[in-house]
Amino acid sequence: MKLPYWKLLLMLFPSLSLMAQDFPATAFSSSDWSSSGSKWNEVSAISVHPFEDNIEVSKGEGILYTNGKSTLNSKKLFKDYKLSFEILQDSDNAAIFHLGNGLALDLSSDKNKFGCLIKANGTVQRPSQYVAKMAGLWQKINLTYSSALNDGLAILEEVMINDVTLFTNYRLQNPNEEAAVISFESRKGLLAVRNAEYTVIGYRKPVSISNLSYKLQETEGWQKEWAATDTPAKTGSTKSMTLDVPNDYRWFSLTYSGDIDVSEANTYAFTKEYAGVANLKIDGKQVGGTYLELNRQPTTDIVELSAGKHTFEYFFRRVWQKPAFGLYVSGSDFRAYPLHPHKNLPLPDYPSVIHENPKGSKARIIRSFMNFGKEKRTTVISVGTSEGKNYSFDLDKGTMLYVWQGNFADVTDMWYNRGQPQLLKPLGQVVKLSGRPSFFQGSDDNYVFEEYFLDKNGLPTYLHSLNGSSISQKLEPISNGFEVSLGVENNEVSYLLGAGNLIEKVGDLLYRVDDHYILLSQKTSLEIKMEGDVMTLSGKAKAIESYQLIW
């Protein structure tokens, strides 16, 4: 069986499918679905208790849910598409998402089934790791499906769940090539769906370029603001928007002019990817931002074009990096394709990937830098456990940054070559925490890290002082997260249990903080309050003693 060239490229170089951004996704509305079986209700909010049969909803729109045996079918037929959606289940849900053509994704609340692929013959392909969250927490699924073409293989290009890639370029033998319905099938329990959106990624090419001419100009360096030198510009015509215009310049600019031929009036997305500076004009009007210096970071802008010819100008200037530039086009019913030769954007030189996981029963501890939002934290310790529960902790501020389940750490940026960034990256399904100091007393606290020591399993206990009083924290893995134990001398010291966009009291001892739970070990008084645009949950540290951080 002969594979089409583009399919072969996808199989050999998965990143080729990710080098350009597709047309912005189209959101599903409730009218885009039909249902069978138990009724699907539309609400604006839903709260599900992870341990009890307790459901609360708010009237409104945006979330579809069912409680029982039911199927939600798309009215639109799909063949080649990207899709993203979020789901929420109770603890007894059994659900399947049907991709079409006999392929399904298990979405059951059973963590050993969630994320498994079910093929038409009933066989199951398990994911690279399990990343399911607890009942009552929203989970995000992204997938890209490319149907069979010219007797080739269909390819499930990617399945990403909770921001972890579980399958890439999974090939399917002898699938049906027809467009099909996609559907959510709830076999029992509660299933809710929100934020479903799609992008069609067919293979039409309604846009092309022609009548190309170029202008190559040597430029000065950055000290002279990249101005043109006295060297006469080279000009000529060419059949493609290639980077291979002969020159021996260190710094240069290259401008292409020509026609964009559009076969049908529509809205199109143009994606620039380059290493240096680039700018695009269509019919004399600049498309997107100004002349930005970027290094292979795609930027996409939307343009409405009538059928026929349009003039365009693409300007590129080399700055520091190896020269590279490209221009992609995509639409609402076709995937991004290049208007430049592929060799203009060579595949990046990927380093050998270095991953770390615990060996044996003892925890694995790594000191590193770590990105936290827009900050680079430089006093971070990361702990990986054999139970697959991992966390990163800022020693200076005495606070957790991330917790995650699954594989432990990508240390490539620490240990490859010179390891200049010194960054550790989580490998599993991540929950981002507040990053604020955990213990506090007033507005001008003196918070000092003292030391940490290890128990027989290699788990640290962190010792700090707050305004001269000793405080301590220790995290131990449990089935759904971590048990956090606190030590404090001063009755007036408070503890920040969580901060987020939404904090809800779910039960006497249970609180939901965005995408995780806080479960107290004993009943105590806590305060939920707004601090700017963030909600916080806190109480007296000595009264809390310990709690579970679970997700």
Side-chain angles (χ1 to χ4, degrees):
M1 177 172 56
K2 185 177 180 181
L3 286 177
Y5 177 68
W6 67 267
K7 293 267 188 177
L8 183 60
L9 283 176
L10 280 179
M11 292 160 58
L12 294 176
F13 304 113
S15 60
L16 281 180
S17 64
L18 306 176
M19 289 178 67
Q21 298 179 15
D22 285 302
F23 195 82
T26 300
F28 283 92
S29 67
S30 57
S31 62
D32 293 324
W33 302 97
S34 63
S35 62
S36 60
S38 298
K39 182 180 179 182
W40 286 78
N41 302 284
E42 186 167 16
V43 296
S44 62
I46 184 168
S47 177
V48 175
H49 197 290
F51 308 123
E52 301 173 5
D53 185 13
N54 184 11
I55 301 167
E56 297 180 3
V57 298
S58 300
K59 291 183 179 180
E61 300 177 345
I63 298 171
L64 293 172
Y65 83 95
T66 189
N67 198 351
K69 191 173 182 179
S70 183
T71 301
L72 191 66
N73 299 301
S74 68
K75 294 179 181 178
K76 180 180 175 63
L77 301 180
F78 289 86
K79 186 175 181 181
D80 302 281
Y81 61 91
K82 282 188 175 182
L83 183 70
S84 67
F85 56 86
E86 293 177 85
I87 64 162
L88 177 146
Q89 318 111 304
D90 65 8
S91 59
D92 194 39
N93 175 252
I96 300 290
F97 175 71
H98 296 275
L99 286 73
N101 299 327
L103 186 66
L105 184 67
D106 199 318
L107 299 179
S108 300
S109 52
D110 184 338
K111 290 189 175 184
N112 293 319
K113 294 182 178 179
F114 186 82
C116 290
L117 284 178
I118 305 171
K119 292 182 280 189
N121 62 5
T123 58
V124 173
Q125 179 67 48
R126 299 197 174 276
S128 57
Q129 58 180 304
Y130 291 104
V131 294
K133 295 182 182 179
M134 293 179 64
L137 297 175
W138 286 101
Q139 312 200 66
K140 186 172 184 180
I141 291 89
N142 300 78
L143 55 89
T144 303
Y145 177 78
S146 177
S147 66
L149 184 68
N150 298 332
D151 297 322
L153 299 174
I155 301 177
L156 188 58
E157 295 182 24
E158 182 178 49
V159 175
M160 179 183 288
I161 298 181
N162 297 327
D163 297 321
V164 180
T165 298
L166 302 182
F167 296 96
T168 55
N169 294 326
Y170 188 83
R171 287 163 282 174
L172 304 168
Q173 293 280 358
N174 303 320
N176 185 344
E177 297 182 13
E178 299 300 318
V181 167
I182 59 175
S183 61
F184 296 92
E185 179 191 357
S186 180
R187 297 178 174 177
K188 66 174 181 174
L190 181 141
L191 176 67
V193 181
R194 73 177 184 186
N195 295 335
E197 55 184 27
Y198 67 90
T199 306
V200 175
I201 51 172
Y203 302 98
R204 299 192 311 111
K205 293 187 176 182
V207 178
S208 60
I209 57 176
S210 61
N211 301 322
L212 288 174
S213 62
Y214 69 87
K215 177 183 176 182
L216 175 69
Q217 176 65 61
E218 184 184 28
T219 60
E220 303 283 4
W222 65 274
Q223 293 173 321
K224 296 184 179 180
E225 298 182 343
W226 312 103
T229 67
D230 294 334
T231 305
K234 297 180 181 179
T235 60
S237 59
T238 179
K239 292 183 179 180
S240 66
M241 197 162 57
T242 177
L243 186 60
D244 292 338
V245 178
N247 73 87
D248 56 2
Y249 304 147
R250 181 180 182 186
W251 312 118
F252 63 88
S253 66
L254 181 58
T255 304
Y256 276 98
S257 302
D259 293 328
I260 291 182
D261 302 305
V262 181
S263 64
E264 59 188 55
N266 212 329
T267 302
Y268 298 94
F270 288 89
T271 298
K272 301 186 294 290
E273 183 179 344
Y274 55 88
V277 172
N279 187 56
L280 174 65
K281 292 180 180 179
I282 296 179
D283 293 332
K285 296 179 181 179
Q286 184 170 296
V287 175
T290 56
Y291 294 73
L292 298 174
E293 182 178 328
L294 296 174
N295 185 18
R296 302 293 294 272
Q297 298 167 270
T299 60
T300 299
D301 299 288
I302 305 299
V303 181
E304 290 188 15
L305 295 177
S306 60
K309 287 186 178 294
H310 298 262
T311 61
F312 86 97
E313 179 181 284
Y314 189 106
F315 169 86
F316 167 76
R317 182 175 69 225
R318 181 185 183 183
V319 181
W320 306 106
Q321 303 86 0
K322 183 178 180 180
F325 76 81
L327 180 64
Y328 297 86
V329 62
S330 59
S332 61
D333 63 350
F334 65 94
R335 70 167 66 213
Y337 64 88
L339 298 176
H340 62 274
H342 278 298
K343 61 183 178 180
N344 276 23
L345 289 172
L347 287 172
D349 294 327
Y350 292 109
S352 299
V353 178
I354 307 172
H355 290 175
E356 276 291 317
N357 275 302
K359 297 177 176 64
S361 60
K362 279 202 170 184
R364 179 76 170 97
I365 295 178
I366 301 177
R367 294 285 301 271
S368 72
F369 297 163
M370 177 169 273
N371 286 333
F372 185 77
K374 296 182 180 180
E375 298 179 78
K376 186 175 185 179
R377 300 286 180 100
T378 58
T379 58
V380 177
I381 182 171
S382 295
V383 180
T385 70
S386 58
E387 293 85 353
K389 302 296 186 292
N390 318 295
Y391 71 89
S392 290
F393 188 91
D394 190 326
L395 292 170
D396 183 49
K397 297 184 182 297
T399 184
M400 288 170 278
L401 301 177
Y402 303 101
V403 293
W404 67 96
Q405 63 177 336
N407 292 331
F408 178 35
D410 181 343
V411 293
T412 307
D413 285 343
M414 296 176 59
W415 297 345
Y416 176 75
N417 205 353
R418 296 175 62 188
Q420 188 273 332
Q422 290 295 303
L423 291 171
L424 180 143
K425 300 173 185 175
L427 283 175
Q429 175 253 311
V430 177
V431 174
K432 183 182 178 183
L433 303 174
S434 73
R436 302 182 180 189
S438 298
F439 295 92
F440 64 95
Q441 191 171 357
S443 58
D444 191 26
D445 290 332
N446 181 23
Y447 204 98
V448 179
F449 169 64
E450 301 291 349
E451 63 175 334
Y452 65 83
F453 61 86
L454 307 180
D455 68 9
K456 63 180 181 180
N457 296 317
L459 295 170
T461 297
Y462 305 101
L463 304 180
H464 289 75
S465 66
L466 177 64
N467 305 326
S469 297
S470 295
I471 52 178
S472 67
Q473 292 180 84
K474 182 180 182 180
L475 283 76
E476 297 178 87
I478 55 176
S479 61
N480 291 318
F482 286 100
E483 177 89 21
V484 185
S485 301
L486 311 180
V488 60
E489 297 176 336
N490 188 338
N491 291 334
E492 299 306 311
V493 171
S494 295
Y495 186 85
L496 180 66
L497 288 151
N501 295 316
L502 179 63
I503 297 178
E504 303 170 282
K505 187 173 183 179
V506 183
D508 283 345
L509 303 176
L510 186 66
Y511 295 79
R512 184 185 294 114
V513 184
D514 288 344
D515 55 356
H516 61 282
Y517 295 106
I518 299 295
L519 178 61
L520 300 177
S521 60
Q522 58 188 15
K523 195 167 184 178
T524 187
S525 177
L526 298 182
E527 181 181 22
I528 299 175
K529 65 179 181 179
M530 291 296 302
E531 295 185 11
D533 57 353
V534 175
M535 298 181 75
T536 62
L537 177 68
S538 61
K540 294 299 182 183
K542 204 156 192 177
I544 295 171
E545 288 189 355
S546 68
Y547 67 95
Q548 292 181 8
L549 193 162
I550 53 180
W551 66 95

